[in-house]
Amino acid sequence: YLQGRELFTQDLYAGADPAYRVRVRLVSTEAWHTLFARNMFIRPQTEDLAGFVPDYVILHAPNMQADPATDGVRSGTAIAVSFTERMVVIAGSEYGGEIKKSIFGVMNWKLPAEGVLPMHCSANVGRTTDGSPGDVALFFGLSGTGKTTLSSDPNRPLIGDDEHGWGPNGVFNFEGGCYAKVINLSQEAEPEIWAASHRFGAVLENVVLREDHSADLNDASLTENTRSAYPIDFIGNVVPGGLGGHPQNVVFLSADAFGVLPPLSRLSREQMMYFFLSGFTAKIPGTEQGVTDPEPTFSTCFGAPFMPRHPGEYARLLAEKVEASGAKVSRE
């Protein structure tokens, strides 16, 4: 399918810590998806590109329809990952998130064997007056539960908004950008995300444009799952390099729409393991097609579709990291 077509290529990194970094090459038929990847992954220095050899290659053909009869798939859409071939094939889906989430799955496969916990969470760090390291906080949750909003705190520099690793030296961002929901986004309520989404180079996905080409962030006629993908340095309040220390606070964002749990709960070790493995949350309208009212759901480790190993491996690593760091764990 790709043979003879105009193609766009980017060589990028996943993982701010060089010791656990994955080199990614995207080959796509679409220019805007290539810009999306450049925004969302970490951009190498120019001098590093000359000898760049990818660990994983993404072949991206969003307008190609897979054939269930010959390709062994269930529909025209396929996101296939081979850890043996170190290759990802994306077909039949124009959703930009498939590009970043495919490599998130790669990191979730690779890192536990190296003693690193991969996490579907955002992370920020407190400010200090004496220049010493501030307190790192993690926010676990599914899309729509508030990871990006809560971590984009003007008083706490942002490490990253969605995917991180927790290794021997602390927390590190997998990405070099942010992927924020922007439905009904206002400049007053979330000024940093609003400003970043209106800068040249940001990719607006599913957002309706007015006749003057300005973005109507209140228009949900296509979907409520409207998105903005922008480089993390579009936000001024960030941690340079995407590295932080060991967390002092870990928060599970359940988005409990039913009042089953207290609004804020400190968790014991056993409760932490239970909620991490069960991944209780609520599907919020706008995050998935067909969801019009809150629905209870469970997503193991708050990211089940992207966790190829047994859930117990991730839970064991989380318990080890929390016990070693003395972090406090709560559910909100």
Side-chain angles (χ1 to χ4, degrees):
Y1 180 86
L2 298 180
Q3 188 71 35
R5 296 178 182 268
E6 183 180 23
L7 300 174
F8 302 88
T9 301
Q10 284 287 306
D11 287 341
L12 303 157
Y13 293 139
D17 188 335
Y20 304 105
R21 178 170 289 167
V22 169
R23 296 179 294 272
V24 179
R25 174 167 293 163
L26 172 73
V27 180
S28 177
T29 58
E30 306 301 314
W32 81 261
H33 286 94
T34 312
L35 176 59
F36 172 91
R38 184 170 177 81
N39 284 353
M40 292 308 305
F41 290 108
I42 298 169
R43 294 162 294 284
Q45 297 296 315
T46 303
E47 57 268 23
D48 295 332
L49 292 173
F52 192 97
V53 178
D55 299 308
Y56 277 81
V57 174
I58 304 174
L59 300 181
H60 183 253
N63 294 310
M64 170 189 159
Q65 292 294 306
D67 183 357
T70 59
D71 298 328
V73 293
R74 298 180 181 179
S75 72
T77 299
I79 296 88
V81 182
S82 170
F83 298 119
T84 302
E85 299 293 334
R86 298 195 173 193
M87 183 172 290
V88 179
V89 172
I90 298 174
S93 173
E94 294 189 70
Y95 178 49
E98 303 292 6
I99 296 171
K100 82 186 205 84
K101 290 300 184 184
S102 65
I103 297 301
F104 183 40
V106 167
M107 301 295 270
N108 289 332
W109 171 256
K110 173 182 182 292
L111 294 182
E114 302 174 30
V116 176
L117 172 65
M119 304 174 292
H120 187 203
C121 72
S122 60
N124 63 21
V125 61
R127 296 186 186 275
T128 60
T129 57
D130 60 359
S132 61
D135 63 298
V136 174
L138 305 181
F139 302 88
F140 283 85
L142 300 185
S143 296
T145 54
K147 296 192 304 300
T148 300
T149 298
L150 288 172
S151 58
S152 298
D153 186 326
N155 297 312
R156 296 179 61 86
L158 179 70
I159 300 174
D161 84 323
D162 195 47
E163 301 170 5
H164 292 81
W166 188 349
N169 299 319
V171 170
F172 62 95
N173 195 356
F174 286 172
E175 302 180 308
C178 297
Y179 195 37
K181 283 195 68 178
V182 292
I183 189 66
N184 298 322
L185 183 74
S186 71
Q187 187 174 10
E188 295 73 26
E190 297 180 84
E192 291 192 329
I193 298 175
W194 191 94
S197 300
H198 285 78
R199 285 185 59 175
F200 180 80
V203 174
L204 298 181
E205 191 173 6
N206 297 326
V207 172
V208 174
L209 301 183
R210 302 183 182 94
E211 289 187 3
D212 63 358
H213 293 177
S214 63
D216 186 351
L217 300 182
N218 297 316
D219 191 326
S221 58
L222 295 177
T223 175
E224 289 194 6
N225 192 22
T226 57
R227 295 277 183 166
S228 174
Y230 49 85
I232 197 168
D233 56 16
F234 275 21
I235 293 181
N237 188 34
V238 298
V239 176
L243 300 171
H246 293 285
Q248 284 74 54
N249 290 283
V250 177
V251 181
F252 295 160
L253 302 173
S254 64
D256 179 18
F258 306 95
V260 174
L261 303 170
L264 183 64
S265 312
R266 176 69 56 78
L267 302 181
S268 66
R269 182 185 186 278
E270 291 74 19
Q271 291 170 328
M272 173 190 73
M273 299 288 280
Y274 173 80
F275 280 110
F276 185 66
L277 285 170
S278 63
F280 169 70
T281 187
K283 291 182 181 178
I284 306 298
T287 56
E288 292 187 21
Q289 187 174 3
V291 177
T292 56
D293 296 299
E295 299 177 7
T297 190
F298 298 86
S299 183
T300 304
C301 307
F302 295 101
F306 317 109
M307 305 288 183
R309 292 179 176 269
H310 190 282
E313 292 191 48
Y314 304 107
R316 175 185 57 79
L317 274 170
L318 176 64
E320 291 175 356
K321 300 294 186 186
V322 167
E323 288 172 3
S325 66
K328 299 174 182 176
V329 183
S330 58
R331 188 221 56 82
E332 183 175 336

